[in-house]
Amino acid sequence: MIRIAIPNKGRLHEPTLAIFKDAGLPVYGGGNESRQLIAKTSDPDITFIFARAADIPLFVEEGTADLGITGLDLVVERGASIECLTDLKYGSSRLVLAVPESSPITKVEDLAGKRIATEFPEITRNFFKEKNIDVEVIEVSGACEMTPHIGVADAIVDITSSGTTMMINKLRPVSQVFESKVYLIANKDSLKQKDKISDVKTAIESVLLAKTKRYIMMNVPAGNLKDVEKIIPGMNGPTIMEVEAPEPTFAVHAVVEADQIFVLIRKLKIVGARDILVLPIERLIP
Ligand SMILES: Nc1ncnc2c1ncn2[C@@H]1O[C@H](COP(=O)(O)OP(=O)(O)OP(=O)(O)O)[C@@H](O)[C@H]1O
Ligand SMILES: O=P(O)(O)OC[C@H]1O[C@H](OP(=O)(O)OP(=O)(O)O)[C@H](O)[C@@H]1O
Ligand SMILES: [Mg+2]
């Protein structure tokens, strides 16, 4: 049995359900936000448990869950001893040291002897300890941006991605403290004992790889085939099939980089390709 802990709400909930669905493991029962706590999947050996992202590192460390999806910031903050298997490419964020816009503080050293409010006390303490700067860390459980404006702290260390919340709260970043990504994480013992974990990892990674590729199909007059082959990179070269058509014609299929499609189609039209179709790929297993 494999138990996978996934965030029951918040910004990671939907993209996590989506990536498992694409990987062939849809959640039975819909995984509605923060109400359903356990769900079966299409594999009788795999069960999802829904938890707060902040609790998942320890659930995975102690083996309550064999696998989990959560942010590296939460793993490090809790000092969880787990394996980070795969960067899931969504939810990247930064922990940033910030002060009120009106503050005279401009660099990290100016924080010596000051008070810093944060939801990440361990990461914050380590950051300043490594710089030999003595600060007072005040742990809060949310609304961190308010603390410097009400005299609770002189600065904050908080999570950010667009920077909108800090700007709205008239906070000026001073330094980046930590860079975070969302990972598929694993319990160390489970990783050794449960083969199915590598199946889950491969399935997830096949979805991530497929998102960067497109499947392209076209018809090419025989006389233009060489010019088209020069343009189509393909993974191991294009697939070429003869087409039943009034004139000698070939169907050319290939897997290409998604971010090359716009330029590629323009070039293919110039060398005579027609009836060009571009399709998404659900999974790509090299
Ligand atoms: N503003 C953000 N931008 C990008 N990623 C974020 C942001 N806030 C949090 N994350 C990432 O999402 C993970 C989960 O964040 P968090 O624990 O705050 O839950 P949430 O998704 O914000 O839901 P809630 O905070 O309402 O419980 C974090 O570990 C972090 O990696
Ligand atoms: O840089 P930004 O894009 O503005 O994101 C920063 C905000 O994101 C997180 O809040 P979230 O939206 O997760 O709500 P929460 O406070 O309930 O966690 C974090 O607590 C910040 O408030
Ligand atoms: Mg949040």
Side-chain angles (χ1 to χ4, degrees):
M1 170 62 79
I2 298 276
R3 277 201 292 197
I4 306 175
I6 60 179
N8 65 332
K9 67 194 251 318
R11 67 186 65 238
L12 302 188
H13 181 76
E14 290 304 330
T16 300
L17 294 183
I19 203 165
F20 275 108
K21 182 166 180 270
D22 291 347
L25 281 171
V27 172
Y28 286 166
N32 56 321
E33 283 248 334
S34 76
R35 289 285 171 268
Q36 184 173 322
L37 298 177
I38 295 180
K40 294 196 177 310
T41 68
S42 50
D43 184 324
D45 291 339
I46 298 180
T47 302
F48 285 123
I49 55 176
F50 293 88
R52 287 296 312 278
D55 296 331
I56 289 174
L58 293 184
F59 285 177
V60 172
E61 181 184 51
E62 64 195 21
T64 304
D66 302 291
L67 289 170
I69 306 281
T70 192
L72 185 61
D73 51 308
L74 295 171
V75 171
V76 172
E77 179 59 28
R78 277 149 187 75
S81 174
I82 47 87
E83 289 295 338
C84 286
L85 299 186
T86 307
D87 170 358
L88 297 181
K89 309 289 185 198
Y90 56 82
S92 63
S93 59
R94 291 167 294 117
L95 293 187
V96 167
L97 170 68
V99 296
E101 286 171 350
S102 57
S103 165
I105 292 170
T106 56
K107 55 187 185 301
V108 178
E109 292 71 19
D110 296 345
L111 273 301
K114 303 290 187 187
R115 298 165 301 160
I116 300 176
T118 182
E119 294 178 54
F120 300 91
E122 289 311 309
I123 290 176
T124 303
R125 282 192 192 96
N126 290 337
F127 176 78
F128 284 98
K129 191 173 167 192
E130 282 167 13
K131 297 178 181 298
N132 288 319
I133 299 172
D134 188 28
V135 296
E136 181 190 351
V137 174
I138 299 162
E139 183 173 2
V140 294
S141 59
C144 195
E145 297 88 357
M146 185 52 64
T147 55
H149 299 301
I150 55 174
V152 167
D154 303 293
I156 69 168
V157 168
D158 199 17
I159 203 160
T160 180
S161 46
S162 69
T164 306
T165 306
M166 291 222 175
M167 189 176 62
I168 290 171
N169 287 283
K170 300 195 183 317
L171 293 167
R172 169 172 36 89
V174 170
S175 171
Q176 177 166 306
V177 171
F178 185 83
E179 186 160 5
S180 186
K181 295 178 179 176
V182 179
Y183 277 90
L184 173 67
I185 63 174
N187 172 276
K188 291 188 172 185
D189 293 334
S190 303
L191 202 51
K192 293 179 197 136
Q193 295 153 14
K194 301 187 177 182
D195 295 343
K196 193 157 269 190
I197 283 182
S198 64
D199 296 345
V200 174
K201 177 175 180 288
T202 303
I204 294 276
E205 289 176 350
S206 71
V207 172
L208 294 171
L209 180 58
K211 285 183 191 299
T212 68
K213 311 286 186 193
R214 291 294 180 271
Y215 190 79
I216 190 166
M217 304 190 288
M218 70 205 81
N219 287 331
V220 179
N224 302 71
L225 191 56
K226 285 291 170 230
D227 291 340
V228 166
E229 284 184 280
K230 283 183 203 146
I231 297 172
I232 295 276
M235 284 173 71
N236 305 307
T239 301
I240 297 171
M241 298 158 277
E242 202 153 358
V243 175
E244 285 299 317
E247 301 296 323
T249 305
F250 290 91
V252 178
H253 294 195
V255 175
V256 297
E257 293 299 326
D259 60 8
Q260 301 297 316
I261 280 288
F262 181 78
V263 172
L264 190 59
I265 288 176
R266 189 167 55 78
K267 286 181 180 173
L268 287 167
K269 295 289 285 177
I270 289 169
V271 294
R274 54 175 192 267
D275 315 325
I276 302 172
L277 294 180
V278 178
L279 288 82
I281 300 171
E282 256 196 15
R283 293 178 58 184
L284 182 49
I285 301 159

